[in-house]
Amino acid sequence: MRYNLDFKNSFDTTMLFWIERFVRNKLTSLSNRQVSDKNKLAFIIQQLVKGTKSIEELEVFVKEARNIGLNGINTYFNPLLKLYNYTSNLGLASMKEIDEELLSDFLASETSSLSDASKKNHRIALLSLFSYIDKQNENEDGSSYLFKIELKNWGGLSGKSGTKLPSFMNQDEVNRFLEAIDKYEFTDNIAYRNRLIIKIILYTGIRVSEMLNLKLKDIFNEKDVYMLQIRGKGNKPRVVMIKKSIIENDLQNWLNIRVCNSDILVCNQKGDRLTQAYVSRIVENILISAGIRKEKNGAHMLRHSFATLLYSKHHDLILVQEALGHADINTSRIYTHFDKDRLRKTTEIF
């Protein structure tokens, strides 16, 4: 069913309606292979069919969808949440007042401090939303209002922010961090689980989402190592290894008390999937206890630390690409910036 572009009573409610419709479309079109609770996803979609009362309520449903494994939804929704708040302050009367210039102004003001990758995600989210509206709105005569948003001339990607080098720990900081993991006092019976999560991410470089989606059947005992079968972005499979001695104690103790509602390896105390935000809070708390300060203290920093040390030790970009599951080797090249031996040669030129 198609709708008149401005059929709601006010601009804010109309904007909310179109973002809500777009999010609902994405919930049904994004890959649901890693969704841990299909019934929960069906419930969320049904609630969006009924409609939400506010952007905050819609945000709650999006977070719930992400928490059950639909990770890509945030890439689309977060920029649109910013757009909703941005346009709400402009006093617009009609969706037709939105054009390339307004969206370029929005991107310039809202993404100035972000990396190029985040800026691209914002642009993609806007293009996707207005392309969707182009196809779904209908005038009384049966025609459609077309925004035809392209944002080809937006120069934000060449701004002063540029591509940021990732935060990472050096070898000394990693050693201090590992000591802090074992000393940190966790509450209740979650110590074995939390140490297991952090050690696997740090020693293999897998993404937090990949860790939280890891299933019992994905772990294989191979002599002195565990082989982990990972499903990466785009459901691309790869295998990583970790020495058995590193996680054996935490793994076995966790399995003895583990009570999960599905076959995922780790879960919260209700038996459901853990959130990435929770894992990042754990990492940040341990970093603080170890006296380590980084620009970004989240769990993703562990992946950058693994990749940086891996390249520094072996100088093998293909190995880094395969270990991290990068589709393009150029994504892995950022870790060559931390090759101190190579950079040291520049000091000897004279």
Side-chain angles (χ1 to χ4, degrees), residues 160-179:
K160 67 178 182 179
S161 175
T163 301
K164 293 183 179 179
L165 296 179
S167 297
F168 70 99
M169 291 185 287
N170 59 35
Q171 185 66 64
D172 177 65
E173 289 170 329
V174 168
N175 292 338
R176 287 161 52 198
F177 181 74
L178 289 171
E179 290 179 7

Side-chain angles (χ1 to χ4, degrees), residues 118-134:
S118 295
K119 290 180 180 181
K120 289 177 182 177
N121 287 340
H122 279 64
R123 179 177 178 272
I124 289 171
L126 297 188
L127 293 176
S128 299
L129 171 66
F130 287 99
S131 175
Y132 173 82
I133 299 176
D134 281 350

Side-chain angles (χ1 to χ4, degrees), residues 132-148:
Y132 173 82
I133 299 176
D134 281 350
K135 298 172 183 175
Q136 296 298 320
N137 82 87
E138 184 177 58
N139 298 319
E140 293 181 359
D141 61 1
S143 63
S144 298
Y145 180 84
L146 300 179
F147 287 93
K148 296 182 179 180

Side-chain angles (χ1 to χ4, degrees), residues 94-112:
S94 167
M95 290 288 292
K96 295 178 181 179
E97 294 183 58
I98 297 177
D99 56 16
E100 288 260 352
E101 183 178 5
L102 185 150
L103 295 179
S104 293
D105 289 344
F106 161 74
L107 289 172
S109 62
E110 296 294 323
T111 69
S112 59

Side-chain angles (χ1 to χ4, degrees), residues 237-272:
R238 74 181 189 281
V239 173
V240 301
M241 290 185 180
I242 184 170
K243 288 184 178 179
K244 191 179 296 184
S245 59
I246 295 170
I247 61 169
E248 183 72 6
N249 181 63
D250 294 314
L251 175 61
Q252 296 306 324
N253 280 290
W254 164 243
L255 292 178
N256 288 336
I257 60 174
R258 171 189 172 276
V259 181
C260 298
N261 297 329
S262 64
D263 63 342
I264 53 176
L265 174 62
V266 295
C267 59
N268 61 25
Q269 292 176 301
K270 294 181 179 179
D272 299 325

